[in-house]
Amino acid sequence: MPSPFLTPGSQSQLDSLALLQLRRDQTIPTILQLHDETNAGYKEGKVTNTRFGSFPHSTLCDQPWGSQIIASKVDTGSRGRTQSKKLKRKADELDSSTQAEDKPSPQTPVAASSGFLHLLYPTPELWTASLPHRTQVVYTPDYSYILHRLRARPGSTVIEAGAGSGSFTHASVRAVFNGYPSDDQSTKKRRLGKVCSFEFHAQRAEKIRVEVNKHGLDGLVEVTHRDVYEDGFLLGDPKTGESPKANAIFLDLPAPWLALKHLVRNPPEGTESPLDPTSPVYICTFSPCLEQVQRTISTLRQLGWLGISMVEVNNRRIEAKRERVGLDYENIRGTVVFPKSVDEAVERTRALEERSQLFRATQNQSDGDSTPAPKTETDTPARQQGSEVPVYKQGRMMTRSELDLKNHTSYLVFAVLPREWTEEDEKRCREKWPSNRVQEPQGPQKSKKQLKREAKEQRDLQKKEQSQLETESQKE
């Protein structure tokens, strides 16, 4: 089954993940199904209840992505009767029943008078904002910069240690995706992108496996329950397993320096290296304090990693809006109805005084006098004159940064481990790409001082020969 994260298609499908957007910062993930045991009893089938109404999944399936779905009137009266019948059912009847009950087709829902949501296909950014938090989450500003520095591209293999809630897992698999694994010979010849995720906590590892299966990422993400401090990063058996041949590594661990001993070209235990021998390997560690950063950098230097740097990502979202101040925007939403100048305040005071006098004069009139009172202009001069500028362009542009940061106080350490280069590799490259311009020096190389002395002797010899020729020509 293709993953909705990678190839969502043009519309939603059954048994696939969809995101229900209620507000800009509120999204509900759900698997689209017509029937679900947890919501048994609804005549409309599986229903997602929100603050904006109830939405049967029959109204969400086969809809174009981005559609606005209207809430429905859900019949909840039959839920209690259905559940009571299930409780009264005897055990012998369950054992004697040989045929499974056919689930009735969902009832056609009726649209409600209000309430709606938008149907969106899942992306790593939306999944990060709506996923169930099991641990701290690597947010979008962090993992976007990390994947950029790790040179993650289609066909790469990424090692992730500390999967947690799976935020970085979904982002990295999208970055390295270049096709689904299959038995086709043309697919086997090229290298497919893959994410090898390692998690120490057994329950979290199992939950990530379930999510990977539901999201259609089987074959692209391999989750392993292991203590990488002791057992390393090989797939399968820790000692004799297969090497993932990783190009990029992300360590979200409490003590990443303890796992670096396994990320070398030639492990001391004699086991196979988990790194790709034909390309440089990039690494990133995620640490919350500087003491961990110092120990990590010290270990990286001892193991031969180069280009070590530390980065702190502080992302703030800036909100831009127009601030409209004045009495001209009295009935416009999102404005500050307050006089913007003294003249406008005086003008408004006069208008209110005239209106008050008119009201008192009307009250003092006799009941028999039905003459209508004269109307007064209560609009301000700005409203009377009108404005050619549209409302959405009026006011002063204001920017404000958000108060809460959607990331963690953490430090990112980056490094690169170059590939091993032997004399055989050098000879092979020279044979494959021969150089016609550069001639290899034969014999021992001469110093600059010796070359200058030989050049001077050559010039003196040329001058001597030239002087002899001039002397002979004069004698003749």
mmCIF file of all heavy atoms in Angstrom, residues 397-424:
data_model
loop_
_atom_site.group_PDB
_atom_site.id
_atom_site.type_symbol
_atom_site.label_atom_id
_atom_site.label_comp_id
_atom_site.label_asym_id
_atom_site.label_seq_id
_atom_site.Cartn_x
_atom_site.Cartn_y
_atom_site.Cartn_z
ATOM 1 N N MET A 397 0.729 48.218 9.129
ATOM 2 C CA MET A 397 1.211 46.849 9.200
ATOM 3 C C MET A 397 2.020 46.646 10.477
ATOM 4 O O MET A 397 2.971 47.381 10.748
ATOM 5 C CB MET A 397 2.069 46.519 7.977
ATOM 6 C CG MET A 397 2.645 45.122 7.978
ATOM 7 S SD MET A 397 1.380 43.834 7.917
ATOM 8 C CE MET A 397 0.794 44.040 6.238
ATOM 9 N N MET A 398 1.634 45.635 11.261
ATOM 10 C CA MET A 398 2.294 45.331 12.527
ATOM 11 C C MET A 398 2.778 43.885 12.502
ATOM 12 O O MET A 398 2.117 43.002 11.949
ATOM 13 C CB MET A 398 1.334 45.534 13.704
ATOM 14 C CG MET A 398 0.756 46.937 13.810
ATOM 15 S SD MET A 398 1.981 48.152 14.302
ATOM 16 C CE MET A 398 2.306 47.615 15.977
ATOM 17 N N THR A 399 3.935 43.645 13.079
ATOM 18 C CA THR A 399 4.483 42.298 13.209
ATOM 19 C C THR A 399 4.741 42.010 14.681
ATOM 20 O O THR A 399 5.153 42.891 15.441
ATOM 21 C CB THR A 399 5.794 42.150 12.424
ATOM 22 O OG1 THR A 399 6.745 43.117 12.891
ATOM 23 C CG2 THR A 399 5.546 42.346 10.938
ATOM 24 N N ARG A 400 4.497 40.758 15.056
ATOM 25 C CA ARG A 400 4.699 40.339 16.439
ATOM 26 C C ARG A 400 5.153 38.887 16.446
ATOM 27 O O ARG A 400 4.571 38.040 15.773
ATOM 28 C CB ARG A 400 3.399 40.484 17.236
ATOM 29 C CG ARG A 400 3.542 40.138 18.712
ATOM 30 C CD ARG A 400 2.211 40.247 19.422
ATOM 31 N NE ARG A 400 1.256 39.292 18.900
ATOM 32 C CZ ARG A 400 0.008 39.164 19.349
ATOM 33 N NH1 ARG A 400 -0.431 39.955 20.307
ATOM 34 N NH2 ARG A 400 -0.802 38.269 18.818
ATOM 35 N N SER A 401 6.200 38.617 17.191
ATOM 36 C CA SER A 401 6.702 37.245 17.288
ATOM 37 C C SER A 401 5.928 36.491 18.356
ATOM 38 O O SER A 401 5.446 37.071 19.332
ATOM 39 C CB SER A 401 8.198 37.243 17.624
ATOM 40 O OG SER A 401 8.427 37.884 18.864
ATOM 41 N N GLU A 402 5.817 35.175 18.161
ATOM 42 C CA GLU A 402 5.066 34.365 19.107
ATOM 43 C C GLU A 402 5.800 34.279 20.439
ATOM 44 O O GLU A 402 7.033 34.372 20.514
ATOM 45 C CB GLU A 402 4.849 32.968 18.534
ATOM 46 C CG GLU A 402 6.122 32.208 18.250
ATOM 47 C CD GLU A 402 5.850 30.834 17.697
ATOM 48 O OE1 GLU A 402 4.684 30.412 17.743
ATOM 49 O OE2 GLU A 402 6.791 30.186 17.228
ATOM 50 N N LEU A 403 5.036 34.088 21.495
ATOM 51 C CA LEU A 403 5.618 34.047 22.830
ATOM 52 C C LEU A 403 6.217 32.686 23.153
ATOM 53 O O LEU A 403 7.276 32.597 23.767
ATOM 54 C CB LEU A 403 4.545 34.408 23.867
ATOM 55 C CG LEU A 403 3.915 35.802 23.713
ATOM 56 C CD1 LEU A 403 2.850 36.013 24.771
ATOM 57 C CD2 LEU A 403 4.970 36.890 23.795
ATOM 58 N N ASP A 404 5.537 31.616 22.757
ATOM 59 C CA ASP A 404 5.994 30.263 23.074
ATOM 60 C C ASP A 404 6.776 29.699 21.899
ATOM 61 O O ASP A 404 6.312 29.717 20.758
ATOM 62 C CB ASP A 404 4.808 29.342 23.382
ATOM 63 C CG ASP A 404 4.019 29.837 24.589
ATOM 64 O OD1 ASP A 404 4.643 30.466 25.455
ATOM 65 O OD2 ASP A 404 2.794 29.599 24.640
ATOM 66 N N LEU A 405 7.976 29.189 22.185
ATOM 67 C CA LEU A 405 8.807 28.572 21.164
ATOM 68 C C LEU A 405 8.420 27.107 21.011
ATOM 69 O O LEU A 405 8.337 26.377 21.998
ATOM 70 C CB LEU A 405 10.290 28.677 21.527
ATOM 71 C CG LEU A 405 10.885 30.084 21.559
ATOM 72 C CD1 LEU A 405 12.339 30.018 21.990
ATOM 73 C CD2 LEU A 405 10.781 30.737 20.207
ATOM 74 N N LYS A 406 8.199 26.663 19.763
ATOM 75 C CA LYS A 406 7.847 25.278 19.493
ATOM 76 C C LYS A 406 9.112 24.443 19.255
ATOM 77 O O LYS A 406 9.260 23.758 18.256
ATOM 78 C CB LYS A 406 6.925 25.207 18.271
ATOM 79 C CG LYS A 406 5.572 25.854 18.480
ATOM 80 C CD LYS A 406 4.771 25.164 19.568
ATOM 81 C CE LYS A 406 3.388 25.769 19.702
ATOM 82 N NZ LYS A 406 2.599 25.128 20.765
ATOM 83 N N ASN A 407 10.044 24.523 20.169
ATOM 84 C CA ASN A 407 11.231 23.679 20.111
ATOM 85 C C ASN A 407 11.795 23.555 21.514
ATOM 86 O O ASN A 407 11.221 24.060 22.475
ATOM 87 C CB ASN A 407 12.271 24.245 19.129
ATOM 88 C CG ASN A 407 12.642 25.679 19.457
ATOM 89 O OD1 ASN A 407 12.261 26.219 20.492
ATOM 90 N ND2 ASN A 407 13.389 26.303 18.568
ATOM 91 N N HIS A 408 12.924 22.885 21.632
ATOM 92 C CA HIS A 408 13.526 22.636 22.925
ATOM 93 C C HIS A 408 14.873 23.345 23.006
ATOM 94 O O HIS A 408 15.518 23.616 21.988
ATOM 95 C CB HIS A 408 13.723 21.131 23.147
ATOM 96 C CG HIS A 408 12.466 20.329 22.955
ATOM 97 N ND1 HIS A 408 11.393 20.427 23.804
ATOM 98 C CD2 HIS A 408 12.112 19.434 22.010
ATOM 99 C CE1 HIS A 408 10.433 19.615 23.391
ATOM 100 N NE2 HIS A 408 10.843 19.005 22.305
ATOM 101 N N THR A 409 15.285 23.638 24.227
ATOM 102 C CA THR A 409 16.616 24.195 24.432
ATOM 103 C C THR A 409 17.624 23.074 24.225
ATOM 104 O O THR A 409 17.835 22.239 25.103
ATOM 105 C CB THR A 409 16.739 24.787 25.840
ATOM 106 O OG1 THR A 409 15.721 25.770 26.013
ATOM 107 C CG2 THR A 409 18.097 25.421 26.031
ATOM 108 N N SER A 410 18.217 23.037 23.065
ATOM 109 C CA SER A 410 19.111 21.935 22.729
ATOM 110 C C SER A 410 20.209 22.455 21.817
ATOM 111 O O SER A 410 20.088 23.510 21.189
ATOM 112 C CB SER A 410 18.347 20.802 22.037
ATOM 113 O OG SER A 410 17.728 21.289 20.866
ATOM 114 N N TYR A 411 21.271 21.670 21.761
ATOM 115 C CA TYR A 411 22.437 22.009 20.957
ATOM 116 C C TYR A 411 22.690 20.874 19.970
ATOM 117 O O TYR A 411 22.666 19.696 20.340
ATOM 118 C CB TYR A 411 23.662 22.224 21.844
ATOM 119 C CG TYR A 411 23.457 23.291 22.889
ATOM 120 C CD1 TYR A 411 23.105 22.944 24.192
ATOM 121 C CD2 TYR A 411 23.589 24.638 22.582
ATOM 122 C CE1 TYR A 411 22.908 23.916 25.162
ATOM 123 C CE2 TYR A 411 23.390 25.621 23.539
ATOM 124 C CZ TYR A 411 23.049 25.249 24.825
ATOM 125 O OH TYR A 411 22.846 26.214 25.777
ATOM 126 N N LEU A 412 22.923 21.246 18.730
ATOM 127 C CA LEU A 412 23.160 20.285 17.658
ATOM 128 C C LEU A 412 24.647 20.278 17.328
ATOM 129 O O LEU A 412 25.226 21.327 17.028
ATOM 130 C CB LEU A 412 22.352 20.653 16.413
ATOM 131 C CG LEU A 412 20.846 20.846 16.617
ATOM 132 C CD1 LEU A 412 20.192 21.290 15.320
ATOM 133 C CD2 LEU A 412 20.201 19.573 17.125
ATOM 134 N N VAL A 413 25.256 19.109 17.402
ATOM 135 C CA VAL A 413 26.672 18.934 17.077
ATOM 136 C C VAL A 413 26.760 18.186 15.752
ATOM 137 O O VAL A 413 26.188 17.097 15.607
ATOM 138 C CB VAL A 413 27.408 18.162 18.188
ATOM 139 C CG1 VAL A 413 28.870 17.955 17.804
ATOM 140 C CG2 VAL A 413 27.319 18.916 19.503
ATOM 141 N N PHE A 414 27.468 18.766 14.791
ATOM 142 C CA PHE A 414 27.617 18.175 13.465
ATOM 143 C C PHE A 414 29.082 17.820 13.227
ATOM 144 O O PHE A 414 29.990 18.513 13.710
ATOM 145 C CB PHE A 414 27.149 19.143 12.372
ATOM 146 C CG PHE A 414 25.685 19.476 12.440
ATOM 147 C CD1 PHE A 414 25.247 20.593 13.123
ATOM 148 C CD2 PHE A 414 24.752 18.667 11.827
ATOM 149 C CE1 PHE A 414 23.905 20.907 13.191
ATOM 150 C CE2 PHE A 414 23.402 18.969 11.887
ATOM 151 C CZ PHE A 414 22.977 20.088 12.567
ATOM 152 N N ALA A 415 29.295 16.751 12.471
ATOM 153 C CA ALA A 415 30.643 16.329 12.105
ATOM 154 C C ALA A 415 30.550 15.458 10.861
ATOM 155 O O ALA A 415 29.464 15.004 10.470
ATOM 156 C CB ALA A 415 31.324 15.571 13.250
ATOM 157 N N VAL A 416 31.700 15.222 10.234
ATOM 158 C CA VAL A 416 31.765 14.399 9.030
ATOM 159 C C VAL A 416 32.953 13.458 9.152
ATOM 160 O O VAL A 416 34.019 13.830 9.664
ATOM 161 C CB VAL A 416 31.881 15.279 7.762
ATOM 162 C CG1 VAL A 416 33.109 16.163 7.817
ATOM 163 C CG2 VAL A 416 31.898 14.416 6.505
ATOM 164 N N LEU A 417 32.752 12.226 8.721
ATOM 165 C CA LEU A 417 33.810 11.214 8.712
ATOM 166 C C LEU A 417 34.132 10.885 7.259
ATOM 167 O O LEU A 417 33.322 10.267 6.562
ATOM 168 C CB LEU A 417 33.363 9.952 9.452
ATOM 169 C CG LEU A 417 34.407 8.837 9.575
ATOM 170 C CD1 LEU A 417 35.580 9.299 10.427
ATOM 171 C CD2 LEU A 417 33.784 7.580 10.171
ATOM 172 N N PRO A 418 35.292 11.314 6.745
ATOM 173 C CA PRO A 418 35.608 11.044 5.333
ATOM 174 C C PRO A 418 35.830 9.554 5.092
ATOM 175 O O PRO A 418 36.150 8.793 6.012
ATOM 176 C CB PRO A 418 36.886 11.860 5.103
ATOM 177 C CG PRO A 418 37.481 12.031 6.458
ATOM 178 C CD PRO A 418 36.354 12.061 7.430
ATOM 179 N N ARG A 419 35.677 9.165 3.857
ATOM 180 C CA ARG A 419 35.875 7.762 3.505
ATOM 181 C C ARG A 419 37.360 7.436 3.481
ATOM 182 O O ARG A 419 38.218 8.311 3.306
ATOM 183 C CB ARG A 419 35.260 7.451 2.143
ATOM 184 C CG ARG A 419 35.834 8.242 0.987
ATOM 185 C CD ARG A 419 35.509 7.590 -0.337
ATOM 186 N NE ARG A 419 36.120 6.272 -0.447
ATOM 187 C CZ ARG A 419 36.037 5.509 -1.537
ATOM 188 N NH1 ARG A 419 35.358 5.921 -2.581
ATOM 189 N NH2 ARG A 419 36.616 4.327 -1.570
ATOM 190 N N GLU A 420 37.663 6.172 3.680
ATOM 191 C CA GLU A 420 39.059 5.746 3.640
ATOM 192 C C GLU A 420 39.570 5.763 2.198
ATOM 193 O O GLU A 420 38.877 5.321 1.273
ATOM 194 C CB GLU A 420 39.197 4.338 4.226
ATOM 195 C CG GLU A 420 38.983 4.277 5.725
ATOM 196 C CD GLU A 420 39.244 2.897 6.277
ATOM 197 O OE1 GLU A 420 39.183 1.930 5.496
ATOM 198 O OE2 GLU A 420 39.510 2.785 7.475
ATOM 199 N N TRP A 421 40.820 6.268 2.031
ATOM 200 C CA TRP A 421 41.406 6.395 0.697
ATOM 201 C C TRP A 421 42.767 5.702 0.703
ATOM 202 O O TRP A 421 43.701 6.135 1.366
ATOM 203 C CB TRP A 421 41.560 7.861 0.328
ATOM 204 C CG TRP A 421 41.820 8.092 -1.126
ATOM 205 C CD1 TRP A 421 43.006 8.399 -1.709
ATOM 206 C CD2 TRP A 421 40.865 8.020 -2.178
ATOM 207 N NE1 TRP A 421 42.868 8.531 -3.059
ATOM 208 C CE2 TRP A 421 41.548 8.303 -3.382
ATOM 209 C CE3 TRP A 421 39.513 7.735 -2.235
ATOM 210 C CZ2 TRP A 421 40.920 8.319 -4.616
ATOM 211 C CZ3 TRP A 421 38.881 7.754 -3.460
ATOM 212 C CH2 TRP A 421 39.576 8.045 -4.632
ATOM 213 N N THR A 422 42.855 4.606 -0.032
ATOM 214 C CA THR A 422 44.074 3.808 -0.071
ATOM 215 C C THR A 422 44.830 4.062 -1.372
ATOM 216 O O THR A 422 44.351 4.757 -2.281
ATOM 217 C CB THR A 422 43.734 2.319 0.062
ATOM 218 O OG1 THR A 422 42.891 1.928 -1.039
ATOM 219 C CG2 THR A 422 42.986 2.062 1.376
ATOM 220 N N GLU A 423 46.022 3.480 -1.465
ATOM 221 C CA GLU A 423 46.812 3.607 -2.689
ATOM 222 C C GLU A 423 46.132 2.909 -3.864
ATOM 223 O O GLU A 423 46.254 3.347 -5.012
ATOM 224 C CB GLU A 423 48.205 3.019 -2.463
ATOM 225 C CG GLU A 423 49.027 3.791 -1.439
ATOM 226 C CD GLU A 423 50.414 3.200 -1.281
ATOM 227 O OE1 GLU A 423 50.688 2.175 -1.951
ATOM 228 O OE2 GLU A 423 51.208 3.753 -0.504
ATOM 229 N N GLU A 424 45.420 1.830 -3.576
ATOM 230 C CA GLU A 424 44.693 1.156 -4.653
ATOM 231 C C GLU A 424 43.587 2.053 -5.210
ATOM 232 O O GLU A 424 43.363 2.087 -6.424
ATOM 233 C CB GLU A 424 44.105 -0.156 -4.134
ATOM 234 C CG GLU A 424 45.164 -1.172 -3.705
ATOM 235 C CD GLU A 424 44.532 -2.444 -3.181
ATOM 236 O OE1 GLU A 424 43.280 -2.472 -3.094
ATOM 237 O OE2 GLU A 424 45.275 -3.391 -2.864
#
